[in-house]
Amino acid sequence: MSIDIWTDSMQHAELFGKPVLFTNWLVQRDTIPQGWHCYDLRGTRKAPNARITLVDQEVGYHAGTVLSPTPLRREGVTSRRVNGTFYLLGEELTLEQFCEEHDLPCPQDIREFVLRPASPDEAGLFFSELEPEKDEALGTIGHVRMDFGHGGREFWHSWWPHNGDRFNTPEFKEVLQRLADNLRQTGLLKNLGAMDAYCWQHGGAITEDRRSYGYITETENYRFCLRCTPLSGEHQGYLYCYDLRQQELYQQEHPVVGRITFASGEELEYRDKDEFVACIREELPSRPTTGLRWEVLTDDLEVDKQIDDLLYNLYGEDNPRRSCNYGMTEAGKRTLRDAADPSRPHIYAWFVMTDTNTPQEKIRQELTLEEAIQIYQDTDASEKRLGVTKDSIATVDLVRSLDGEQSFFEDHKRLESFRSDPVVAKAAEQLHMELKRTMPQQGMTMGGIT
């Protein structure tokens, strides 16, 4: 196994009277910053872990690696006896912390591509998605299939597009080419032996049989996931390429609607409301043993109702709350506030309702004011009312007739969505004028009931 000197902590130590960083793991020499020096400590056959000799690199009796800002042996000398000059100082430091403690300029990591071993949770990124929706959500550009040919020293590859190849831009092709050149020249795509050695040193197994390993590197706009199977007779490499901007765009258009967790630590996120509710429905009966928990992250209150329905149903009961009892969503509240803003354009839909709250109730909607007045006047229902819906969210009744007695409501003067609205105020005046001409004076009242 090896470490990343740019991110991992190492042990603070002293060797030959000089401060160094020490690790029991291997360090890749191509990651050493310019002006710094890296050496291995070698043991013996009888004492393989004893730090006896300083050498450039050691495989057989590797007893540790040191990183030093100054050279620790003379040029032209291949090794140097340690002779009891190595001491651990009892603390772990990153390269940046080491430089700060010893008042050294901290070197800059200029590598464009930094590989890290994948975790088992990331294994899905190294295989093709069978569902197009998931491929779109991941922003998959495509994947490269590779093998090292006969003898493990050739290099054959083919491109497999995803998402209709529409994300395969010239910009991406340039980045992919630089990554391939880097890994071919210095990294694990040099040949089969180099891949095998890299996987052994860095770990990152993503399959239970430990035949395949995964490594991830990211640039500003792209994520590359390299699956390595260092075995003869196999396609040894699959490089899956993802556009991070497309991922972000998809996430903005399809926000997370719910999160489900289990006592095991497993966590699932859903962007589809139906899938989220379906998972709860499936897992709910085993909740006492799995520790099922969920969090609703959408303001769609129908999701809350569906989950409540499942809970009541689990105990053989019906949910007593109707959809209207779950309140208004945040989006609805914003729309309602906008409806009260006189500086915004608004949409008015007039309606006439008859026999309200009876089995014979009828409503004519999406009318103009003139159409609504005509229908109101023409109907002979014992109970009828005329009103308006504004921006599909705010509704108010303006007039009602019950058994021939007509009442004009004043609610539009008090409700925030209507009180500063000149269109509704003018319509109320027009109603007074139109209906006064057609109704007996004794059959009219002001204020009415709300």
Side-chain angles (χ1 to χ4, degrees):
M1 299 289 289
S2 65
I3 66 166
D4 185 340
I5 65 168
W6 297 99
T7 58
D8 295 334
S9 295
M10 302 174 68
Q11 296 184 66
H12 196 193
E14 182 181 294
L15 180 59
F16 304 130
K18 297 179 179 180
V20 297
L21 286 170
F22 169 82
T23 177
N24 287 311
W25 304 110
L26 299 172
V27 172
Q28 297 296 306
R29 294 312 196 260
D30 60 358
T31 67
I32 304 305
Q34 186 175 4
W36 285 63
H37 307 269
C38 189
Y39 307 94
D40 285 346
L41 297 177
R42 183 171 64 196
T44 64
R45 182 173 64 85
K46 291 184 177 180
N49 294 323
R51 294 140 190 163
I52 304 298
T53 308
L54 180 81
V55 296
D56 282 338
Q57 284 189 272
E58 174 64 25
V59 177
Y61 300 113
H62 180 264
T65 301
V66 294
L67 182 65
S68 172
T70 59
L72 298 178
R73 60 171 177 74
R74 293 191 301 274
E75 194 170 338
V77 176
T78 59
S79 64
R80 182 179 178 183
R81 299 279 294 180
V82 173
N83 292 328
T85 63
F86 177 79
Y87 303 98
L88 292 175
L89 302 181
E91 61 178 343
E92 291 191 351
L93 301 174
T94 62
L95 178 59
E96 182 179 2
Q97 291 169 336
F98 177 86
C99 292
E100 183 177 347
E101 181 158 333
H102 294 283
D103 198 22
L104 298 169
C106 186
Q108 298 299 309
D109 185 359
I110 60 174
R111 295 173 296 167
E112 181 179 11
F113 305 105
V114 180
L115 292 175
R116 65 169 177 83
S119 67
D121 292 341
E122 296 171 309
L125 296 172
F126 297 85
F127 298 87
S128 293
E129 282 289 350
L130 299 179
E131 300 178 24
E133 294 80 6
K134 292 185 177 180
D135 237 10
E136 183 181 2
L138 290 169
T140 313
I141 305 169
H143 73 266
V144 183
R145 188 174 69 182
M146 301 163 281
D147 70 76
F148 295 111
H150 181 70
R153 292 189 173 275
E154 301 172 359
F155 189 69
W156 300 90
H157 60 88
S158 57
W159 172 254
W160 297 73
H162 292 232
N163 282 305
D165 212 26
R166 68 182 188 271
F167 304 147
N168 188 11
T169 63
E171 174 199 350
F172 163 73
K173 291 176 181 177
E174 290 181 7
V175 177
L176 176 61
Q177 188 62 58
R178 291 200 303 271
L179 173 62
D181 291 344
N182 178 279
L183 296 179
R184 287 282 292 143
Q185 293 168 8
T186 62
L188 49 75
L189 295 183
K190 190 173 183 180
N191 53 53
L192 181 56
M195 175 181 283
D196 189 29
Y198 190 97
C199 293
W200 178 81
Q201 293 173 2
H202 292 79
I206 55 173
T207 56
E208 292 184 1
D209 58 11
R210 304 187 69 82
R211 290 165 56 92
S212 295
Y213 299 79
Y215 303 98
I216 298 175
T217 184
E218 290 188 6
T219 65
E220 181 180 0
N221 296 324
Y222 303 103
R223 174 181 293 130
F224 297 94
C225 299
L226 178 60
R227 185 175 99 225
C228 301
T229 307
L231 299 170
S232 298
E234 303 271 357
H235 289 292
Q236 286 95 13
Y238 284 83
L239 179 65
Y240 284 83
C241 313
Y242 302 96
D243 191 318
L244 298 176
R245 293 165 298 187
Q246 292 298 326
Q247 283 188 19
E248 182 177 357
L249 180 62
Y250 184 90
Q251 291 168 3
Q252 291 174 354
E253 295 175 349
H254 303 80
V256 176
V257 298
R259 181 180 296 114
I260 292 176
T261 59
F262 299 91
S264 63
E266 182 183 3
E267 181 175 302
L268 303 172
E269 287 188 343
Y270 289 87
R271 300 181 185 276
D272 183 277
K273 290 179 284 190
D274 292 337
E275 291 182 2
F276 175 54
V277 174
C279 181
I280 295 175
R281 179 185 297 109
E282 182 178 348
E283 298 289 343
L284 198 56
S286 55
R287 184 183 185 184
T289 56
T290 63
L292 169 71
R293 297 174 65 89
W294 62 84
E295 181 181 5
V296 179
L297 301 176
T298 176
D299 63 359
D300 186 346
L301 298 176
E302 186 60 29
V303 175
D304 290 301
K305 183 182 184 305
Q306 290 179 20
I307 295 174
D308 284 351
D309 288 346
L310 293 176
L311 290 169
Y312 278 102
N313 184 64
L314 184 65
Y315 298 101
E317 299 180 15
D318 293 329
N319 185 357
R321 300 176 67 193
R322 297 187 300 170
S323 295
C324 60
N325 300 133
Y326 282 81
M328 183 176 289
T329 67
E330 287 301 319
K333 293 176 183 178
R334 287 194 299 271
T335 304
L336 192 60
R337 288 194 294 269
D338 291 342
D341 186 349
S343 66
R344 290 177 173 268
H346 301 290
I347 299 174
Y348 303 89
W350 302 85
F351 64 85
V352 175
M353 183 181 294
T354 59
D355 299 320
T356 308
N357 295 327
T358 71
Q360 292 75 39
E361 179 180 289
K362 293 182 181 179
I363 183 169
R364 296 281 301 276
Q365 303 181 81
E366 304 297 329
L367 305 172
T368 64
L369 176 59
E370 289 71 21
E371 291 172 336
I373 292 175
Q374 188 63 54
I375 292 172
Y376 180 85
Q377 291 176 329
D378 291 345
T379 183
D380 57 359
S382 61
E383 193 274 345
K384 57 184 179 180
R385 63 182 67 200
L386 186 154
V388 63
T389 298
K390 182 179 180 182
D391 296 340
S392 301
I393 192 168
T395 298
V396 67
D397 294 339
L398 296 179
V399 62
R400 180 198 189 208
S401 175
L402 177 62
D403 296 328
E405 183 176 348
Q406 192 155 261
S407 303
F408 287 89
F409 299 134
E410 301 290 323
D411 293 344
H412 67 282
K413 296 181 180 180
R414 297 188 293 271
L415 295 175
E416 186 175 0
S417 298
F418 298 97
R419 64 189 179 196
S420 301
D421 192 315
V423 173
V424 175
K426 184 177 179 181
E429 293 179 4
Q430 183 177 344
L431 280 171
H432 275 277
M433 295 176 58
E434 293 278 349
L435 298 180
K436 277 181 179 180
R437 291 199 297 265
T438 59
M439 295 292 290
Q441 185 67 28
Q442 64 272 21
M444 300 177 62
T445 62
M446 297 296 294
I449 60 175
T450 58

